[in-house]
Amino acid sequence: DDIMKQCYENLIVVDVGANLTNKKYIRDLDTVIQRAKDSGVQKIMVPGTSVKSSKEALRLTRIYPSICYSTAGIHPHDSKSIIEEPNLWLEFEVIAKAIECVAIGPCGLDYQRDFSEPSVQQEIFKKQIKLACDLGKPILIHERTAQNDVLEIISMFQNTPQIIIRNFIGTTEEAIKYLERGYYLTLTGFLCKDKSDTGVRKLLEDNKLPLEKILVETDSPFMYPNTRASKLPQYVKNGLSNRSLNYLHRYCTFQRNEPCSLPAIVEMIAAFMHKKPEEVALATAFNALKLFGLSQ
């Protein structure tokens, strides 16, 4: 009975994106991961956003087996490095093939900032989709003001693996375009910042986001969920448990968010959806385990 009670009190969640290779964790990563586990985070996916960080993410899977899993991606901002050094791509392919690397990406297009030319971004995006198709690994997509081009490029490929739109912050219309194609969306603490009437919040409130298509991530050390934000409706604030808030306020800051903030994010999503936190936790954890094969 005690164990059931514990399971019920403790939301069991999976963080599909924590940037644990970030230098902000150099001193105390063991503690951060232990804290995540204590808070209810069972598995953590560590994204690679360049050849170097993909390699570091893979290394973490070997230090923390069965907790950490990695992804291998070349972020649109980093695209031109591959053009400049073709050998890096060969190294990237080796990292991507590792069994602990469970997805390709985040890759995609970002037209908000021009660290790499659109044509260069598109070329490296295509290379990563092809690699994901060859390896049969799901694809994490980073997209900012580039939805049409992203969809057009994906449509050039037959039988693509599952597609996940990472840290979605677009409009309701954009979300529906993705959902119509069967894509998954990941949600973060951005919900605290979303002030629009047409964004993620609205999708949740209008019940337009099916639970079987949602994944959750903290995007640590970024995207601190400011649950005290004035724009956050009172009914959502009321949905947050003392336990989750305790982890959030005791260990996470605007400067350094941690995976242990995930239970609070899940409670927030549940409140917006008018669902039980347990239901959202269970569904999102199940989606992650199934999609990325995190059981081993």
Side-chain angles (χ1 to χ4, degrees), residues 37 43 60-69 100 296:
K37 286 167 70 181
K43 311 257 179 198
L60 290 184
T61 67
R62 288 159 188 179
I63 301 172
Y64 305 102
S66 79
I67 300 163
C68 289
Y69 299 81
E100 303 89 342
Q296 67 273 24

Side-chain angles (χ1 to χ4, degrees), residues 89-214:
W89 178 257
L90 300 173
E91 196 183 333
F92 181 71
E93 283 187 321
V94 173
I95 299 164
K97 283 177 184 148
I99 189 141
E100 303 89 342
C101 170
V102 295
I104 303 303
C107 57
L109 305 174
D110 189 324
Y111 296 165
Q112 278 183 348
R113 306 195 194 113
D114 53 353
F115 293 121
S116 292
E117 285 292 311
S119 60
V120 172
Q121 290 187 33
Q122 290 166 16
E123 186 183 336
I124 300 306
F125 182 29
K126 286 175 195 164
K127 278 175 90 91
Q128 289 178 87
I129 298 178
K130 185 181 183 309
L131 180 61
C133 291
D134 293 346
L135 297 175
K137 292 186 179 183
I139 309 170
L140 298 170
I141 304 276
H142 170 94
E143 175 265 311
R144 293 287 180 265
T145 62
Q147 185 179 43
N148 291 340
D149 286 7
V150 162
L151 292 175
E152 193 183 327
I153 287 173
I154 294 171
S155 71
M156 295 173 182
F157 295 84
Q158 251 73 57
N159 303 325
T160 47
Q162 295 282 10
I163 289 171
I164 301 98
I165 307 297
R166 221 191 136 210
N167 198 344
F168 178 78
I169 61 170
T171 63
T172 312
E173 287 72 44
E174 288 169 340
I176 284 163
K177 266 191 195 172
Y178 284 139
L179 292 167
E180 281 170 353
R181 287 165 171 78
Y183 300 174
Y184 291 77
L185 304 183
T186 79
L187 301 180
T188 64
F190 174 76
L191 278 171
C192 298
K193 283 199 189 90
D194 179 24
K195 296 181 175 70
S196 72
D197 296 326
T198 57
V200 186
R201 256 184 212 193
K202 185 96 178 85
L203 276 170
L204 294 174
E205 288 173 327
D206 295 350
N207 214 7
K208 294 260 174 69
L209 256 186
L211 266 183
E212 60 274 14
K213 287 296 174 187
I214 304 177

